[in-house]
Each structure stands twice: as C-alpha cells, then as structure tokens.
Amino acid sequence: MSITTQSARRNPVLEVEGLSVRAGSGELATMPVQDLSFTIASGEVLGIVGESGSGKSMTAYAIGDLLPEGVAVSAGRIVLEGRPVLSLSPAERRALDGNRIGMVFQDPLSSFNPVRTIGSILIESARRHQQLSTSAARGKVIEALAGVRLPHPELLVDAYPHQLSGGQRQRAMIALALLNEPSLVVADEPTTALDATVQLRILALLKRSAGSRALLLITHDLAVASTVCDRILVMQRGRCVEQGSTADILESPAHDYTRELLAAAHWPAALGSQPQAGAA
Amino acid sequence: MNAVVGLPVNTLGARYLARWELVSGGFLLALIAALLVLGPALSGHDPAFVDLQNRLAAPNSPGHLLGTDQLGRDLLARLLHGLRWSLTAAFGATLLAFAVGTVLGLIAARRQSFLGTAIRQVTAFAQSFPVFVLAICLVAIVGNSLVTVVLVLGLVTWPVFCRVVQAEATSLLAREYVMAAEMLQMGRARLYFRHILPGLLPSLSVLLAFHFADMLIAESALSFLGIGAPLGAATWGNMLQESRAYLISAPWLLLVPATAIVTLVITANLLGDGLRRHLE
Amino acid sequence: MTLVRLRPVRDLAVLLLGTLTLLFFLLRLTGDPALVLAGPDATEQQVAAIRAEYGLDRSLPVQYLSYVGNLLRLDFGHSLADGSPALKKVLIAYPTSLLLAAMAMAVTLLISIPAGAWLGAGRHGSARAAVRWLLFVLQGVPGFVTALLLVQLFAIELVWLPALGSSGLSSLILPTVSVASFLAPKLTRLIEANVAAAMGSPYVRTARAIGSSDREILWRHALPNALLGATALVGTQFAFLMTGLVIIESIFAWPGIGWLLVQSTTSVDFPVVQAITMTVVVTVFAVNTFVDLLQRRVDPRLRHREPLAPGAGE
C-alpha cells in the first residue's frame, strides 16, 4: 500500500457499515445484501466483484437512492462525506443525487430517454444542481462532453440517443455522472454492454476521470476489476466474502469462492495447491 | 421508487387476484350454463306468448318473476331465450373467427410468399377498420338470421386472431428446437400440432375470452339496431330497443336485459383477465 | 405496433378496388342486382332502366367493369328513400358526425390522459384500485347500454337534457358523453400501461439518479414517451370511435352517417349503403396515412435516421 493511498484513507468519501437490504415482505422476503461494510477514500477505486445474484447491483442502488419498489435498506449506515444519508428527507436526498454522487449505468442505450436529446438530461442536471440558466448550462454541458473526448460536442448536445454508438453513449453517460463534480462515482457494469475493443477505452476514461474522486465499480468481470481498481471486494449471495488490495486478492486469495472466480477468469493464482490438467 | 427489477412482491398479490377473477368468473359461468341448459322452460312461459291482459306487469307479479313487457310476454322467458341466442351467436362467431384467423395466421407466419404478405397487409389494415360498420352492411344485405350473424361476425373479425397467431407463430418457428425438429424431418403436421399450437395456447385462450365478450356486445348491438334478429324475436338487443318507448312507465323493460348483458360481458372479462394474469 | 408502411397511392388504389369488388359481389348475392338498386317500389321500366345503366344485362366481366367505372366516377346512384343522389346524402351527413366525433374525442382525451397518467404513476393505493375496478366494470357495459341508462337518468327521470335530435348545444351533451364512455375506459387503461412501462424504464432511473422528483419524472420523462407510444393507437381508437358513432347516433337520432347507415341498411337502400361504405373506407385510409405521417414527424427515432459522427469517440 503506497503512502498516497494511506493518507487518502484518512479522508473517506463513502462509508458503508453493516448494510442490509430486504426485498419483499413477510414470508417471501429475501435479503439481497447482508451486513456489508466497506469504505472508499477520495482518489481510490474500489471494485465490487461477484456473479449475478450476488447483490452487488443492489448495493449500488442502495447507495444511489435507486432501490426499486418493495426493496429497502433494513439495517446499517451509509455515510457520504461525513453525512449519514439514510436518514435524510427525500428532498435532501435528491439534492445529493447527480450532485455529490454520480451514477453510470450498464446499458447506455436504454438509459437515455429515446425521445429526448442527449443534452436535455445533462442540461436538466446542471440547471438543478448548479442553479444555472439554460444557456449557461448548455455551455457547461458542451464542455463536459468535450471532457470525455466526444467529437463535436456542440452537435451532440442536440443529438438523439439512437444517433450515437454504444461507446459514445457511455461516454455521454460518464459526462452526466461527472457534470456537477461529485465526490463519489458509482459505475454499475459500465462496460458489459459494450464491444470488447471499446471496453478498455471506456475503462481508461473512467479511471482518468475519477481523478481525485472516489469511484465504486461494480462488475462481474475480475479482469475488468483488476485493470482499474485499487481494492477489490468479493460478494457472494449478498455477503462480503473478502476484501483487500487488488494485488492481495489476485495473488493470494484467502477464500475459496474468490479462488473459484479467479479460476473462472483463468487466473494463474487460482491454481494454488490444486493442479489442473492442461492449465496454462 | 421505480421498479427496475421484477420482484416477487407483486406476484403474490397478482396471483390472488387472478384466482379471485377465475373463481368468480367460473362461478358466474356455471350459473349461466345452468340457465342455458334449463332454457326458457324454467319460467314456465313461452317467450312469444302474447297476453294483452297482463301487459307491463312489474317484477314479482304473480306468475311473472321479472314482469311482462308491452305485449304481456313474460320477461324471464324472453330473457332466457335471449341468453340462448346471444350465447350461440357469440360462441359461433368466436369459433369461426378463431378457426379462420388461426389458419391464416399460421400461413402468414410461415410463408414469405405473396399469400403471406397479402394476409399481413389485410390484417394490419383491419386493425383500424370499423368492422362493425362492415358487419352492419353485410347482415343487412344478406338477411336477418342467427346464421347470418354468426357468419358475418366471424368472417369480419378473424384478423384479431390472425394478428396474434402470426406474431407468436413467427417467433415460435424461429426458435432453435423447431429448427432441430426440421432437421430431423419431422412431418409438418406433427411439428405444428406438437410444438407450435401448444405454444400458442396461452395467448389464444385469453383472446378467446375477450373476443367472446366483444361478440356478445356486437351481436346485441346489431339486434338493438334491428339488424340480424328477426322482428319480435326475443333477443336482448331487441328487448332493449323495445324498452325505449316505456322508459317512464316500465323501466324494468330496460333494466332486465341490460343487467343480463352486463353480467355476461363481465363474466367473460373476468375469465379473460384472470387467465391473462395467471399466465403471466 | 405500427402499421405496415403503405405506399399511399398504390395502396389506396388496391384498397378501393378491393372494396368495390366486395360490394359488387355483395350486390349479386342478394339476387337480382337491378331489383336491389331500383328498390321494391320500382316499376318494370325503372328496373329495366337501371339494368341498362349498370349494364346488368351484359356478361359478368362487363358488369364488373361498368360497376367499378360508375363508382370511380363517384356515381353511386340515387337513394331509394328520397331519390336524392346517394353520395350527396352521405356528404351532407358527414359534418354532423364529425362534430360529434370531435367533441367526444376531446372529452375522452381530457379524461383519459390525466386518469391514465395518475393510474400509471403509482401501482398501489386504494383510490387507484377503486378506479381500476370502476373502469373494469365500465368496460363490461356496452356503449349503447350506457347511453340508454344515461337517457333514462338525465332525460327521462331528471328531464335535464333532451333525449333526441340535434338542435342546440344541450342536445350534444348526452351523445358526446355516451361516445366518450364508450372510448374512455379502454384508452385510459392503455395510457396507464404506457405510463407504467415508462415509469419502470431505465431512462427514468437515470432521471432519478440526477435527483428528479416524482412529479418532474412523470411530466417530463414518462408522459411524453407514453403519449408518443399512444399515437400508434390512434388508428384503433378511430375504429372504436366510428363504431360508437353508429350506435350512439341511432339512439339519439343524431343525423350523421352512423344513423344514415342504420337507416339505409335496414331499408336496404343499397346506393346509399355503397356510398357510405366507400366513404368510410376512404376516411379510414386517410386517418391511417395521417397517423403514419404524424409518427414520422413526432418520433425522433423515425425523424433522424443518420448516426452522428460514426466511429469517432469510441
């Protein structure tokens, strides 16, 4: 662990303690997330890795105030920049969404309203959280689009989602997340829906844009996590199985499940004491 | 909060509702079937028997449970006769539309030919066409009789079934197991009967219920307008039309057939809705 | 659920020809076409004249051609009821129906859009459940039964409104309400479904992620999409509307083409029947084409097809 990371750790942006999420009620209730705890400091990238059903997306939604109907946080604390967010009123909470927290979603095509321009939602966010006039907001939005290396941002502002490619849309989504300079960015499977060649570039963009922010990356792909993250947390069936620095997790995993994930990703360290015939 | 993910929360509620709808619909259906089988004989009167001494008797008069109409004819007897007429017409028309529509729909799904294309064009156009207008013209031209009504309504509404069958059959036929079956050179008849038709059954059964309701309404509307049913015949539409002159003096002449129609339609709607929820 | 894209002129031609052929065969179905066209009270000479005019003494193909030719020249013959030109009779009744249709559509939209939006915006609540049940029951009541009940209540019992005729504004109320009660339940449920689907969509989740309130989401994000999706339904709603018109006009003796249709079919006034049929077919075609054009103009996905800066910025 480097000195920079250590000092950054003294400034936690996001603290999650004992988070539990319940879906449904009564006999049919399930717990997609159970007793989850982690911290992310500014400048740090934490990856939550797990297969589908592990509860990683629910964690992201819980943090982002996006839990679906019938699903709610049943226990634990979420503290953002020193403020506990679960006890906020809806209006106070909404002031944080898009402002102190930026979300990047998996499927950029359906995450943009097909009948409105790309610019419209960005402008809406800028106006709401920076109290700008429409023309001033438009200027900021064009800057933001340029910041994610999109060509002709002044044209893109008035373009519709279907006119852009998948990679371009995801860049726009990242621009939306970063628009109001949040301290935390949560990216839920940001590259899963993209072509392999595009994935790397989007990941690079994310890493670069994270800069001094805290970045929470949700993914099922260990390779993706290893590229971008400083620390990794492994989830299985709603629980944290282990967490640690990327290097530690990849080279000396402590838990069997982690080893299974590594093996599935064809990671050499998974071999450990189990010789596998024909393994590279 | 929006529903991002489908949840078990609602399923229980939906299942109860589906069960309730099917049970109550089934109960009403049984009641109707009993009345159908027993027929006008249940009232002890001949629906066409004119008794001018006993005109416009109110319900609960001696010997006439539902009263008599302007010609002294027993309302209960006429109601039950109308039940037979309406059910026969609606059932016949629905079956005819179902048979023709399914066959044509299967053809349209399969053949990338002129016939298939023609069927698709007709079906698409028929969606916005007021077929009731067409039905009126046809019945009026061909003549008033139950058979005419059944034939016309059936032959005018087949696009309803055709559209659904064509869409679903197309997707069923594209599925891999069908291709495998074809490779094994399964006979076409066997293919259709064992794979395609069972796949169509869920949506078709729901459609049958709703279409039945529509045919009920259409038939009674036709006979209300004096089309399809011979003058003086005991059909609900006729009864409604005849009641108009006596709205002040004998409102039950309106209410009896009106309640009957509404009950029957709601029964069909309950069954259709229940089926649809159950199969979702 | 968009219609198969029709190339207007060619398809209008096919449509007209198909309808005319259908009418031609119907006419022959009824027996001697000359008798049907001349009417039951016609004299021998009149029948003979008709026969000559329509070429009914010639061979079948010639008959067909002359029939089609006549109708394409807009010569639909004369009404058996009053001898006036059939097409003229239909065109006179047309605006009357249009008035009722427009009013009813306006009332329907005024009710259905807010109601559908409200129902779709929230899944739960006893108020919403109650309204849904009400709509379910209303859908089970056929339009003409509702009309009769309305007449019974407002015209007979309370004597607030006239039961028949088309004189004066007050006579418009009951027919309008009746047609609206015919259309509104189904349209409300359709809009509700669209709005509910929009509310559950990923782009609404994005809107929530930037802090939009429920009200902003409904008005700015869900409703536009829902209504846009609903334009595809205009065609079917129009068919519904026409059906409703026919029945309601007959109940209220509202002198539009619906009422004319019933009158002329019951008296087998074939010239008028064929005029009405053709008018209806052309109207439906016009509406379909209009809907197509409307969708093209309004839906951005159809309006702008070209990708922007393809490949760049990947």
Side-chain angles (χ1 to χ4, degrees):
Chain A
M1 211 186 303
S2 73
I3 306 247
T4 359
T5 327
Q6 264 185 321
S7 60
R9 284 202 141 224
R10 291 188 223 114
N11 303 314
V13 169
L14 179 69
E15 295 161 272
V16 175
E17 284 173 43
L19 179 69
S20 294
V21 174
R22 176 168 52 220
S25 57
E27 286 177 11
L28 285 185
T30 57
M31 303 284 287
V33 179
Q34 293 172 57
D35 198 26
L36 190 65
S37 300
F38 59 88
T39 312
I40 315 181
S42 53
E44 212 182 7
V45 182
L46 171 68
I48 296 186
V49 182
E51 46 191 19
S52 47
S54 57
K56 54 191 198 300
S57 286
M58 280 297 170
T59 308
Y61 291 151
I63 295 170
D65 187 32
L66 295 171
L67 288 174
E69 212 176 304
V71 184
V73 172
S74 60
R77 300 174 71 220
I78 299 178
V79 179
L80 179 70
E81 292 177 304
R83 281 177 81 188
V85 299
L86 292 174
S87 50
L88 292 178
S89 72
E92 288 172 325
R93 189 58 234 253
R94 280 202 302 274
L96 296 180
D97 294 332
N99 194 8
R100 309 313 307 149
I101 304 177
M103 298 283 307
V104 180
F105 297 108
Q106 174 175 340
D107 186 358
L109 176 56
S110 48
S111 294
F112 280 107
N113 192 334
V115 302
R116 305 189 67 204
T117 61
I118 297 275
S120 64
I121 186 121
L122 280 124
I123 292 174
E124 185 182 331
S125 183
R127 289 195 63 195
R128 178 177 299 127
H129 295 297
Q130 296 184 41
Q131 283 81 43
L132 296 173
S133 68
T134 310
S135 46
R138 195 184 158 86
K140 276 262 156 80
V141 166
I142 293 177
E143 268 178 50
L145 291 175
V148 290
R149 312 263 178 91
L150 280 169
H152 304 293
E154 68 285 352
L155 292 180
L156 239 59
V157 172
D158 297 320
Y160 289 91
H162 68 276
Q163 291 178 287
L164 273 61
S165 69
Q168 290 171 330
R169 280 191 293 266
Q170 199 60 310
R171 283 178 189 263
M173 171 128 291
I174 293 171
L176 177 63
L178 297 173
L179 188 64
N180 301 310
E181 302 193 16
S183 48
L184 170 67
V185 177
V186 179
D188 182 14
E189 305 268 16
T191 54
T192 308
L194 302 173
D195 292 336
T197 46
V198 178
Q199 283 187 19
L200 281 174
R201 292 198 211 126
I202 297 295
L203 284 174
L205 173 64
L206 259 180
K207 176 104 185 183
R208 189 174 53 238
S209 316
S212 60
R213 293 177 240 273
L215 173 60
L216 174 62
L217 178 67
I218 313 281
T219 179
H220 66 279
D221 190 341
L222 213 48
V224 165
S226 66
T227 317
V228 181
C229 305
D230 302 317
R231 285 168 47 237
I232 291 181
L233 186 156
V234 179
M235 275 185 84
Q236 184 192 25
R237 282 202 281 273
R239 290 187 179 278
C240 166
V241 154
E242 74 177 286
Q243 60 174 305
S245 74
T246 305
D248 287 345
I249 296 284
L250 294 180
E251 284 160 24
S252 32
H255 199 274
D256 284 335
Y257 180 67
T258 314
R259 286 200 204 92
E260 275 178 46
L261 279 182
L262 287 168
H266 303 296
W267 211 267
L271 293 177
S273 56
Q274 298 154 2
Q276 287 187 348
Chain B
M1 301 296 180
N2 56 350
V4 172
V5 167
L7 290 165
V9 195
N10 285 323
T11 313
L12 194 63
R15 236 182 244 145
Y16 274 148
L17 185 60
R19 202 167 295 165
W20 187 90
E21 284 182 321
L22 286 174
V23 164
S24 42
F27 173 73
L28 283 170
L29 187 65
L31 197 64
I32 292 167
L35 289 174
L36 179 69
V37 165
L38 291 171
L42 182 64
S43 69
H45 292 275
D46 180 351
F49 181 69
V50 172
D51 178 10
L52 292 172
Q53 309 280 21
N54 236 340
R55 308 173 64 230
L56 300 177
N60 255 333
S61 311
H64 299 281
L65 190 62
L66 293 177
T68 64
D69 69 358
Q70 73 280 9
L71 292 181
R73 296 174 293 195
D74 179 51
L75 274 190
L76 181 59
R78 290 179 71 77
L79 188 72
L80 292 172
H81 184 270
L83 176 67
R84 282 196 166 164
W85 178 280
S86 290
L87 283 182
T88 314
F91 199 64
T94 306
L95 269 183
L96 184 59
F98 164 72
V100 174
T102 306
V103 168
L104 291 181
L106 288 173
I107 295 177
R110 178 94 177 161
R111 307 267 172 79
Q112 300 300 323
S113 66
F114 176 71
L115 187 59
T117 317
I119 295 176
R120 272 192 294 270
Q121 288 265 33
V122 171
T123 313
F125 180 74
Q127 202 175 346
S128 325
F129 194 82
V131 289
F132 187 71
V133 170
L134 191 59
I136 291 180
C137 295
L138 289 174
V139 176
I141 292 171
V142 176
N144 283 355
S145 82
L146 184 55
V147 175
T148 314
V149 171
V150 169
L151 284 176
V152 168
L153 284 180
L155 292 174
V156 143
T157 54
W158 62 259
V160 173
F161 285 94
C162 186
R163 196 177 314 129
V164 169
V165 168
Q166 148 194 326
E168 298 226 356
T170 311
S171 74
L172 283 172
L173 283 168
R175 286 205 201 149
E176 280 132 24
Y177 70 82
V178 173
M179 291 197 226
E182 282 193 316
M183 287 206 299
L184 294 172
Q185 291 180 327
M186 194 184 280
R188 181 161 302 168
R190 206 158 150 230
L191 173 71
Y192 275 88
F193 276 105
R194 290 199 55 200
H195 292 283
I196 308 295
L197 286 181
L200 293 173
L201 214 53
S203 354
L204 276 184
S205 48
V206 174
L207 192 55
L208 278 169
F210 285 129
H211 199 253
F212 185 79
D214 286 338
M215 294 293 94
L216 271 173
I217 299 178
E219 186 283 319
S220 43
L222 281 178
S223 81
F224 174 79
L225 295 172
I227 298 168
L231 206 61
T235 69
W236 292 344
N238 270 353
M239 289 165 76
L240 281 172
Q241 179 63 262
E242 290 169 12
S243 77
R244 300 194 66 196
Y246 302 92
L247 286 179
I248 303 178
S249 46
W252 59 89
L253 290 187
L254 165 65
L255 293 172
V256 164
T259 315
I261 296 180
V262 171
T263 309
L264 220 60
V265 173
I266 289 188
T267 306
N269 279 349
L270 278 175
L271 288 172
D273 218 38
L275 267 175
R276 184 174 51 191
R277 271 185 223 276
H278 180 72
L279 294 167
E280 256 170 15
Chain C
M1 210 162 64
T2 40
L3 296 171
V4 173
R5 192 79 247 237
L6 305 174
R7 302 199 55 219
V9 176
R10 184 194 72 186
D11 292 300
L12 180 60
V14 169
L15 187 63
L16 288 179
L17 215 58
T19 316
L20 290 173
T21 313
L22 186 68
L23 282 173
F24 180 74
F25 279 112
L26 276 182
L27 188 53
R28 316 222 76 243
L29 251 185
T30 58
D32 187 353
L35 280 177
V36 176
L37 286 171
D41 303 324
T43 64
E44 275 292 328
Q45 290 124 315
Q46 287 172 319
V47 176
I50 298 267
R51 194 164 280 142
E53 188 186 336
Y54 283 89
L56 291 167
D57 41 2
R58 317 259 200 80
S59 62
L60 198 59
V62 179
Q63 281 189 43
Y64 177 70
L65 284 173
S66 78
Y67 180 76
V68 170
N70 274 343
L71 262 52
L72 285 178
R73 272 183 296 127
L74 299 182
D75 175 10
F76 288 87
H78 296 264
S79 161
L80 299 176
D82 56 11
S84 60
L87 187 61
K88 185 170 168 204
K89 206 167 172 181
V90 172
L91 291 177
I92 290 177
Y94 209 79
T96 319
S97 283
L98 222 56
L99 174 63
L100 180 56
M103 288 296 304
M105 206 63 223
V107 170
T108 305
L109 288 175
L110 229 64
I111 298 176
S112 293
I113 294 180
W118 176 67
L119 284 176
R123 293 258 113 208
H124 302 297
S126 41
R128 286 195 172 88
V131 172
R132 288 196 188 105
W133 269 112
L134 181 66
L135 287 177
F136 183 79
V137 171
L138 271 179
Q139 274 189 282
V141 182
F144 60 100
V145 173
T146 319
L148 289 176
L149 291 170
L150 283 173
V151 168
Q152 175 72 356
L153 182 60
F154 289 102
I156 309 289
E157 304 272 339
L158 297 175
V159 202
W160 284 353
L161 297 164
L164 291 175
S166 65
S167 52
L169 203 58
S170 58
S171 66
L172 186 55
I173 297 180
L174 279 183
T176 305
V177 173
S178 300
V179 178
S181 76
F182 200 84
L183 293 172
K186 204 150 200 170
L187 189 60
T188 308
R189 295 313 297 267
L190 287 170
I191 292 182
E192 175 194 1
N194 275 16
V195 169
M199 292 295 278
S201 63
Y203 56 83
V204 164
R205 180 183 56 192
T206 307
R208 288 199 199 276
I210 62 164
S212 306
S213 66
D214 283 335
R215 209 164 45 101
E216 283 170 315
I217 285 177
L218 179 63
W219 283 99
R220 219 178 281 167
H221 296 275
L223 208 50
N225 287 60
L227 291 180
L228 193 66
T231 57
L233 302 165
V234 172
T236 33
Q237 289 304 304
F238 179 71
F240 250 5
L241 179 66
M242 293 220 65
T243 310
L245 272 187
V246 171
I247 302 172
I248 302 300
E249 282 184 11
S250 304
I251 294 179
F252 291 97
W254 185 267
I257 55 174
W259 188 69
L260 189 61
L261 176 68
V262 176
Q263 292 224 306
S264 51
T265 47
T266 44
S267 58
V268 200
D269 186 352
F270 196 81
V272 178
V273 171
Q274 66 189 16
I276 294 181
T277 310
M278 290 305 293
T279 317
V280 167
V281 165
V282 171
T283 310
V284 170
F285 182 81
V287 169
N288 286 354
T289 314
F290 172 72
V291 172
D292 231 25
L293 287 174
L294 186 71
Q295 282 197 299
R296 240 152 256 287
R297 289 239 56 207
V298 170
D299 189 340
R301 286 166 290 193
L302 299 176
R303 200 168 43 173
H304 307 273
R305 297 292 199 105
E306 357 62 56
L308 221 58
E314 279 291 351

